Amino acid sequence: MIIVKVGGSAGIDYDAVCADLAARWKAGERLVLVHGGSGETNRIAEALGHPPRFVTSPSGYTSRFTDRETLEIFEMVYCGKMNKGIVERLQRLGVNAVGLSGLDGRIFEGRHKDSVRAVENGKVKVLRGDHTGTVEKVNTELIELLLGAGYLPVLTPPAASYEGVAINVDGDRAAAALAVALKADALLLLSNVPGLLRAYPDESSLIREIPASNVEDYLEFAQDRMKKKVLGAAEAVQGGVKRVIFGDARAGQPVTAALEGAGTVVS
Ligand code: ADP
């Protein structure tokens, strides 16, 4: 079983990802796809007059402050445009894909964090009304049901809180939780960079291998949202996933290339 997470940043070639996935799926590989949609969400949110607000926690992690309106825009893009766009590509390629959010059937479930600590103008503030959280439980039964019946699951945030409220969760960490829960052999985190770069944005500074025992040591090279990927990778390998690969989704055969060791391999 392989979990493929494809991001939502500019430059990602979804046609290439879907073509590669479809070929592997038809060859009999068990796969689940998780996707993001951050770039498109930012664009649509601006167009709708509700621009994104990113906040940085005191420990240096950046996240999207998700008030109710932001959550609804987020759902429009992630569960609507992005999810159906990917499902349509796979359907055209002859793969019976089913697109679901983490809210559907509580595929991704976790605790709702209503407030977030953010550093603004050098001061720590508490912001309330945040619809975010972290995935703590995965409905593997539903995923297995779909896979067993021949459907390729295409999953996306949001998740469901324990109270049944939609919460924005990090897609990389959700994919990591899924990989652990499904006892996946590999987790691929595909984005618009060759992998984890030692000196971002210098693409020749690609880190080729990271030992599973000290993934956290590499957090220092990651800025912004890349930090979540490194954290997700650490959670996956600590949870028993044998290999996590940060790969490039901009062209070629992104899934196959990553599985063959292009990118940054954590093992
Ligand atoms: P996605 O939405 O595609 O999953 P993110 O935007 O969340 O991806 O994270 C990937 C981004 O992280 C890259 O596009 C890059 O701008 C940024 N980044 C920060 N530090 C690094 C690094 N050390 N190596 C690679 N990318 C990095």
Side-chain angles (χ1 to χ4, degrees):
M1 166 87 74
I2 292 165
I3 308 301
V4 178
K5 153 72 178 32
V6 61
S9 304
I12 289 175
D13 186 344
Y14 294 99
D15 289 327
V17 173
C18 289
D20 200 6
L21 276 177
R24 301 190 74 96
W25 176 260
K26 287 178 186 171
E29 196 154 71
R30 267 162 59 93
L31 293 162
V32 179
L33 179 62
V34 180
H35 68 84
S38 57
E40 192 63 9
T41 301
N42 295 346
R43 208 180 59 74
I44 304 267
E46 292 277 357
L48 291 175
H50 194 75
R53 179 174 176 191
F54 289 98
V55 295
T56 306
S57 72
S59 48
Y61 287 92
T62 307
S63 62
R64 184 189 296 276
F65 182 71
T66 311
D67 58 12
R68 187 74 209 180
E69 199 175 341
T70 302
L71 179 76
E72 288 171 6
I73 297 169
F74 179 94
E75 288 177 333
M76 274 194 252
V77 178
Y78 278 69
C79 313
K81 187 171 184 189
M82 297 299 295
N83 190 268
K84 296 316 145 199
I86 291 171
V87 169
E88 184 188 9
R89 282 180 178 87
L90 290 167
Q91 289 291 352
R92 277 199 196 157
L93 292 161
V95 175
N96 209 352
V98 170
L100 294 169
S101 81
L103 196 54
D104 297 283
R106 293 181 182 263
I107 290 174
F108 293 134
E109 199 174 10
R111 204 168 40 84
H112 175 190
K113 226 170 119 241
D114 173 71
S115 62
V116 62
R117 275 160 37 91
V119 184
E120 281 184 349
N121 303 322
K123 286 194 192 135
V124 179
K125 288 186 184 164
V126 177
L127 305 174
R128 299 200 186 279
D130 199 14
H131 284 265
T132 60
T134 309
V135 176
E136 292 168 347
K137 275 176 74 180
V138 177
N139 184 351
T140 52
E141 210 175 289
L142 179 51
I143 304 298
E144 293 286 6
L145 196 75
L146 289 169
L147 287 169
Y151 298 101
L152 194 164
V154 179
L155 309 178
T156 184
S161 76
Y162 293 117
E163 296 78 27
V165 174
I167 49 173
N168 179 4
V169 292
D170 179 68
D172 295 304
R173 294 181 69 194
L178 180 72
V180 170
L182 289 173
K183 300 186 171 52
D185 303 300
L187 166 67
L188 272 48
L189 299 175
L190 307 179
S191 184
N192 64 349
V193 278
L196 181 65
L197 306 174
R198 193 171 285 274
Y200 174 77
D202 175 6
E203 297 201 356
S204 68
S205 70
L206 176 69
I207 297 169
R208 293 206 167 272
E209 280 173 33
I210 297 180
S213 51
N214 52 345
V215 186
E216 269 107 345
D217 293 350
Y218 288 77
L219 271 171
E220 65 171 295
F221 301 114
Q223 286 134 41
D224 311 319
R225 301 204 320 244
M226 197 70 195
K227 277 187 193 288
K228 294 269 177 74
K229 288 190 200 295
V230 177
L231 204 61
E235 288 165 351
V237 291
Q238 280 155 17
V241 178
K242 287 183 232 53
R243 270 199 311 161
V244 181
I245 304 151
F246 301 116
D248 198 336
R250 289 174 298 184
Q253 292 180 298
V255 177
T256 302
L259 286 170
E260 286 173 354
T264 304
V265 181
V266 184
S267 63

